[in-house]
Amino acid sequence: MNEFDIVDEYFSDIGSASGVELGIGDDAAVLAVPEDVALVVSADMLVESVHFPHDMAAVDIGWRALASNLSDTAAMGARPRWFTLTISMPELDPSWLSDFSSGLRACAERYSVGLVGGDITRGPLTLSITVLAVQSSDALTRSGARAGDGVFVSGTLGGAAAALANHPTVPNTWIDRFARPQPRIELGEALIGVASAAIDVSDGLLADLGHICRASNCGARVLLEDVPVADGLKDCFPERWADWALTGGDDYELCFTVPSVRIPKIEALAQRVGLSLSRIGTIEAAEGVRLDPGAADWRPTAQVGYRHF
Ligand code: ADP
Ligand code: MG
């Protein structure tokens, strides 16, 4: 089996999307981008033992690789349509490829995106996905937060970090939060015209809110007791839940800011997208992210936000 056979066997028919004038098989894909929309493009790489444990099930790696990439365009309020996939892998393992492609397919079908091209090489296990999304209005960026805006987060936090920290010894309730993240695409779209800034929580709440604050030249105050924490986490890990909820990444929820006049819209919006949306704090003029109660009650045991270098 060579690279061409691998593509035929495992990657030729993943997901679906309209507008593919020419898909996999030629030197490049040709996509019909509708008039009056902007193309929103995001690339992300996943490296074994850096982004996922080496013994993680291939089916979950497939789902997670795509879902974590879709989360970036969701945070812009864009609708993902197509993606490319490059794979570096140490050996040809048909059962790994079959499982990986089935997880990838499930995610592509769930979120209606189509695989339109890629590349395969031999090397350490590394996956890179580029998502192409469309947007007919102004993008939701990190830079629009202003003092007085409310800070919100969707869903719950800390579950993915707890799953990863306990992997693989304890089968736990939160494993799907790490293995099967749900990109908040509908929420991102619904936040256009409502939120002033948004980001997906991939590096940890405080780090990612810090990115909004830096891009917006402001700061934020977060109330620890208002941060929505994954079910059961506080009871199981009274010492560590705050760390995971505040600095653990990988939950792929959206953190966003809303000007006070538009805050009354949030409740109906939450119902419409079927997600809890919790207010966790307020944007302030002074730079930096402050936690209430402060460091006396909580000190990070790990560095805030993942750093590769
Ligand atoms: P070349 O490198 O000689 O241009 P490739 O083998 O990279 O050709 O690609 C042949 C076709 O298969 C292209 O259309 C490419 O987009 C597609 N392809 C290669 N690898 C993947 C992959 N992992 N997933 C999807 N499509 C792929
Ligand atoms: Mg190529």
Side-chain angles (χ1 to χ4, degrees):
M1 202 181 233
N2 59 36
E3 297 94 284
F4 307 104
D5 301 326
I6 295 173
V7 173
D8 271 356
E9 178 81 21
Y10 302 107
F11 299 109
S12 61
D13 187 26
I14 300 269
S16 64
S18 55
V20 182
E21 293 187 352
L22 191 58
I24 289 171
D26 215 302
D27 291 319
V30 180
L31 306 172
V33 181
E35 254 179 76
D36 301 328
V37 303
L39 198 56
V40 176
V41 180
S42 169
D44 246 326
M45 198 152 77
L46 283 88
V47 179
E48 183 184 50
S49 300
V50 177
H51 298 97
F52 55 89
H54 79 279
D55 57 350
M56 186 171 174
V59 64
D60 292 336
I61 297 172
W63 177 286
R64 194 180 137 74
L66 180 56
S68 61
N69 274 269
L70 295 176
S71 175
D72 278 317
T73 53
M76 305 297 287
R79 167 66 47 175
R81 297 279 298 276
W82 311 288
F83 70 104
T84 63
L85 166 70
T86 64
I87 306 174
S88 153
M89 54 190 187
E91 60 185 355
L92 206 173
D93 178 346
S95 102
W96 189 93
L97 280 166
S98 167
D99 288 352
F100 172 79
S101 73
S102 79
L104 188 74
R105 182 187 311 277
C107 188
E109 282 172 1
R110 166 69 182 80
Y111 297 106
S112 304
V113 291
L115 177 60
V116 296
D119 205 7
I120 300 174
T121 65
R122 186 190 292 271
L125 185 58
T126 304
L127 308 157
S128 176
I129 287 180
T130 296
V131 172
L132 301 151
V134 295
Q135 193 154 45
S136 47
S137 51
D138 285 342
L140 206 52
T141 64
R142 299 178 177 186
S143 58
R146 297 293 174 262
D149 290 0
V151 179
F152 290 78
V153 73
S154 63
T156 61
L157 300 175
L164 191 59
N166 292 295
H167 175 90
T169 44
V170 209
N172 63 64
T173 339
W174 310 288
I175 192 70
D176 272 4
R177 292 311 309 266
F178 182 77
R180 299 281 167 143
Q182 314 280 313
R184 304 306 191 190
I185 297 167
E186 242 187 284
L187 172 61
E189 281 182 319
L191 288 175
I192 298 258
V194 176
S196 49
I199 192 167
D200 65 323
V201 182
S202 57
D203 286 343
L205 176 67
L206 297 183
D208 289 320
L209 178 55
H211 293 315
I212 287 185
C213 290
R214 261 187 305 283
S216 302
N217 295 312
C218 58
R221 182 171 298 278
V222 171
L223 299 178
L224 178 58
E225 63 185 24
D226 291 342
V227 173
V229 178
D231 274 354
L233 203 61
K234 285 185 180 178
D235 290 338
C236 279
F237 297 99
E239 309 278 304
R240 302 198 60 192
W241 66 266
D243 235 23
W244 288 328
L246 297 170
T247 68
D250 299 315
D251 285 306
Y252 298 106
E253 295 294 348
L254 296 188
C255 174
F256 55 95
T257 61
V258 184
S260 48
V261 290
R262 298 205 285 263
I263 289 177
K265 295 182 172 196
I266 293 297
E267 207 174 295
L269 198 152
Q271 296 230 328
R272 182 146 57 89
V273 300
L275 278 174
S276 64
L277 302 176
S278 311
R279 176 157 185 184
I280 59 166
T282 303
I283 294 293
E284 298 178 336
E287 286 180 12
V289 177
R290 289 161 288 280
L291 189 68
D292 257 346
D297 299 80
W298 174 81
R299 259 194 198 92
T301 55
Q303 182 174 261
V304 174
Y306 192 83
R307 296 274 184 280
H308 288 273
F309 301 104

